[in-house]
Every structure is written in structure tokens, then in C-alpha cells.
């Protein structure tokens, strides 16, 4: 039996973690969230998704939670920006031509509240809208990179980001961070932009320590935030590297792995009282 009585902050990844494989948050989670709130336990959603997309999944509680979006590119509480890390336009302009050479690959420039794509692939466009609610289809991403502030480049491959995208871009790693953030996605961001750094910012604002933090995750973009929490949980469906890194495992995202642990946390708190 894990003693969760110290926990004051719960942080959860979205895809493959809090969201089931249909991209839904359970009604049980919202009930548990209300109980966490009564116990003065804070909640933070941390994802590679766009801020608008995360908030749309958590609409009813959006003003009560912290949100880390774009893999730590931006963190907000309500409309208040707590941190932002943009990728330099010089770097973006270097990557665009390289990524364009990779077959079956689509690219997204992730800006503040708007994503930009030049893809004309209907299959990709339909799929990508699950993660990016606000977007523009443009003729040339080069022009966007010159004019707009961009948090990250998200690159999608229909088979595997790890096998087909990463080997092509890995040697261009100077001053950037590569994150394989799912089976099909690879994210390229500023060296300083990761979920762990963003989580440290939230912890410092709340005066909450690593020992008082509980984190759930399933993929490589969750590594740094897992290192900032004493209670780190890998989902049953997580990448093997995350299972090795995390202190604990829970059930899969389709079997309410997050909710099971939150119930245990709330039981620990009630026993303490």
C-alpha cells in the first residue's frame, strides 16, 4: 500500500494516459477531480497537444487547473501565461526542407493558439484535428516560420516516428530537443522546453516539492516530468522505457489507470484525517 498522504499536486499526460483510446476523459475522473479539490490537491494536465485542445477535453474544470501544453512550450493557469519557450525561426527554417524529404510525413508548426500545416493529405488533416483545434492550412511553412512565434515543430509519420523520422533528423540536434511523443509523432522544440521544466515552474508557484507530486505518463515526452515527482506512474500501455523509469505502474488508459490511483490517493488522505 503506497502512502500518498503527502501528495499536493497531481500531474497527468493526456493521450494514452488520462484519455482513453477514443480520446475521451471519463466522467469518473471529473468526480474524482472535485474530491481532489476539496482536499486542496492541485491538478495539472501536461501534453504535447495545443493548449486549446487540452482545455476542450477539460472544459468544465479549465479555470481550476494548470495546463502545460506543447510539451512544455507553454504553461498557463486559466488565461494567465506562466511560462513560454519558443523555437528560434533560424532552427525551424533549417528543419523544414529536411522534413519535407521524408516520405509519408506531415509537419505542423505549433504557434500560440494556432497551428500551421501545408499538408494537403486529407487523411492526415482529419486525424490531426484531434490534437490541434485551431489551425490554418497555408501554402508554405517557410513564410510562417519567418513571421510567427512557434513553440515546436510536430512531425507525423503514418507508421512510426521512431523508425522513420528520428533517424533523418537526429544529427541536427544542436540546441534543440527531440521528443518521440507517441507511436506516430516526433516533436522538435527549444532545448529548454520540456514538461519537466514547466512542471518545476508550477511546483515553485505553488510551493510544492517533488516529494508532494504525483505524475502519470506513457511516452518519452513524459520523462523529464516523471523525474520531478516522487510518485511516478507508468500506464500499462506505456512505452517500455517509461515503465523502466517510473517507480510504479497502473492499469492502461482504457482501464481507468489514472482513476484507480486517484481513488487510492483520496483513500490515503481520508485515512490520514
Amino acid at each position: 500500500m503506497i502512502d500518498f498522504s503527502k501528495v499536493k499536486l497531481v500531474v497527468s499526460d493526456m493521450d494514452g494516459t488520462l484519455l482513453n483510446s477514443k480520446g475521451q476523459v471519463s466522467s469518473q475522473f471529473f468526480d474524482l477531480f472535485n474530491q481532489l479539490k476539496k482536499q486542496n490537491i492541485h491538478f495539472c494536465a501536461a501534453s504535447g497537444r495545443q493548449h486549446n485542445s487540452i482545455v476542450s477535453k477539460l472544459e468544465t474544470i479549465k479555470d481550476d487547473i494548470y495546463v502545460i501544453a506543447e510539451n512544455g512550450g507553454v504553461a498557463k493557469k486559466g488565461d494567465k501565461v506562466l511560462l513560454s519557450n519558443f523555437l528560434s525561426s533560424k532552427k525551424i527554417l533549417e528543419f523544414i526542407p529536411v522534413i519535407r524529404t521524408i516520405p509519408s510525413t506531415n509537419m505542423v508548426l505549433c504557434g500560440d493558439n494556432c497551428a500551421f500545416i501545408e499538408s494537403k493529405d486529407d487523411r492526415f488533416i482529419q486525424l490531426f484535428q484531434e490534437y490541434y483545434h485551431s489551425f490554418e492550412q497555408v501554402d508554405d511553412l517557410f513564410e510562417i516560420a519567418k513571421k510567427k512565434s512557434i513553440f515546436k515543430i510536430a512531425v507525423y509519420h503514418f507508421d512510426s516516428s521512431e523508425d522513420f523520422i528520428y533517424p533523418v533528423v537526429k544529427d541536427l540536434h544542436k540546441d534543440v530537443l527531440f521528443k518521440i511523443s507517441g507511436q506516430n509523432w516526433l516533436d522538435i522544440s527549444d532545448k529548454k522546453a520540456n514538461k519537466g521544466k514547466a512542471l518545476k515552474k508550477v511546483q515553485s508557484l505553488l510551493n510544492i516539492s517533488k516529494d508532494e507530486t504525483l505524475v502519470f505518463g506513457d511516452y518519452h515526452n513524459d520523462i523529464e516530468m516523471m523525474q520531478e515527482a516522487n510518485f511516478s506512474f507508468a500506464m500499462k500501455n506505456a512505452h517500455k522505457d517509461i515503465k523502466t523509469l517510473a517507480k510504479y505502474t497502473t492499469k492502461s488508459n482504457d482501464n481507468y489507470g489514472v482513476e484507480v490511483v486517484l481513488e487510492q490517493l483520496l483513500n490515503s488522505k481520508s485515512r490520514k484525517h
Side-chain angles (χ1 to χ4, degrees):
M1 187 68 81
I2 305 164
D3 178 11
F4 291 113
S5 58
K6 277 185 177 173
V7 173
K8 293 180 182 172
L9 172 64
V10 172
V11 188
S12 181
D13 170 52
M14 295 292 285
D15 295 278
T17 304
L18 185 61
L19 300 178
N20 64 20
S21 49
K22 292 180 179 155
Q24 300 159 332
V25 181
S26 74
S27 58
Q28 188 191 354
F29 168 75
F30 290 104
D31 293 340
L32 291 164
F33 171 79
N34 288 326
Q35 294 176 56
L36 292 175
K37 204 175 150 191
K38 283 177 190 158
Q39 294 280 0
N40 295 319
I41 298 167
H42 300 274
F43 181 79
C44 176
S47 177
R49 284 175 176 252
Q50 183 183 55
H51 181 267
N52 292 0
S53 169
I54 301 169
V55 163
S56 75
K57 300 284 181 187
L58 299 166
E59 183 67 40
T60 56
I61 61 173
K62 66 181 183 186
D63 295 327
D64 295 325
I65 63 173
Y66 290 81
V67 176
I68 293 169
E70 310 286 10
N71 278 342
V74 62
K76 293 185 180 182
K77 171 84 193 297
D79 294 328
K80 189 182 179 198
V81 177
L82 310 174
L83 158 151
S84 58
N85 282 304
F86 293 103
L87 183 58
S88 82
S89 62
K90 183 172 173 283
K91 285 283 165 203
I92 299 166
L93 295 169
E94 275 174 40
F95 275 104
I96 291 172
V98 177
I99 294 164
R100 282 174 175 163
T101 66
I102 311 169
S104 303
T105 297
N106 291 276
M107 181 176 12
V108 186
L109 297 189
C110 307
D112 198 7
N113 294 324
C114 188
F116 302 91
I117 56 169
E118 60 187 10
S119 176
K120 306 285 189 281
D121 182 332
D122 289 335
R123 186 162 65 123
F124 170 71
I125 292 165
Q126 200 175 348
L127 175 154
F128 134 99
Q129 289 180 63
E130 165 63 26
Y131 309 95
Y132 296 91
H133 284 203
S134 311
F135 74 96
E136 276 179 38
Q137 205 171 2
V138 298
D139 292 330
D140 186 0
L141 289 177
F142 246 82
E143 294 309 309
I144 296 298
K146 288 175 190 169
K147 292 184 290 207
K148 301 273 186 189
S149 296
I150 299 297
F151 290 121
K152 72 172 203 265
I153 309 171
V155 197
Y156 184 92
H157 192 281
F158 281 104
D159 297 317
S160 166
S161 58
E162 202 165 351
D163 294 342
F164 296 100
I165 303 169
Y166 183 66
V168 178
V169 297
K170 70 178 196 302
D171 294 331
L172 297 168
H173 60 73
K174 197 174 181 317
D175 300 325
V176 299
L177 189 66
F178 292 123
K179 280 290 166 192
I180 294 158
S181 60
Q183 168 73 30
N184 307 93
W185 290 100
L186 179 135
D187 293 328
I188 304 163
S189 53
D190 182 79
K191 260 277 196 286
K192 298 186 293 296
N194 64 62
K195 291 185 186 182
K197 283 227 165 65
L199 172 54
K200 280 177 96 158
K201 177 71 178 175
V202 172
Q203 286 169 322
S204 93
L205 286 168
L206 292 169
N207 195 22
I208 286 175
S209 71
K210 194 171 165 172
D211 289 342
E212 298 165 322
T213 304
L214 188 160
V215 163
F216 298 96
D218 75 316
Y219 238 90
H220 291 100
N221 57 332
D222 299 320
I223 290 172
E224 289 89 351
M225 75 172 184
M226 290 204 148
Q227 291 166 337
E228 297 306 324
N230 192 31
F231 300 91
S232 54
F233 280 83
M235 309 305 288
K236 191 176 181 191
N237 51 288
H239 190 287
K240 63 182 189 306
D241 296 349
I242 302 305
K243 288 180 176 172
T244 306
L245 172 75
K247 278 195 185 169
Y248 309 102
T249 52
T250 183
K251 293 181 177 182
S252 74
N253 61 323
D254 282 332
N255 285 310
Y256 307 101
V258 169
E259 290 86 344
V260 166
V261 177
L262 293 183
E263 284 186 335
Q264 292 170 8
L265 161 62
L266 287 160
N267 288 338
S268 263
K269 292 283 184 184
S270 60
R271 275 199 305 277
K272 192 185 172 193
H273 295 301

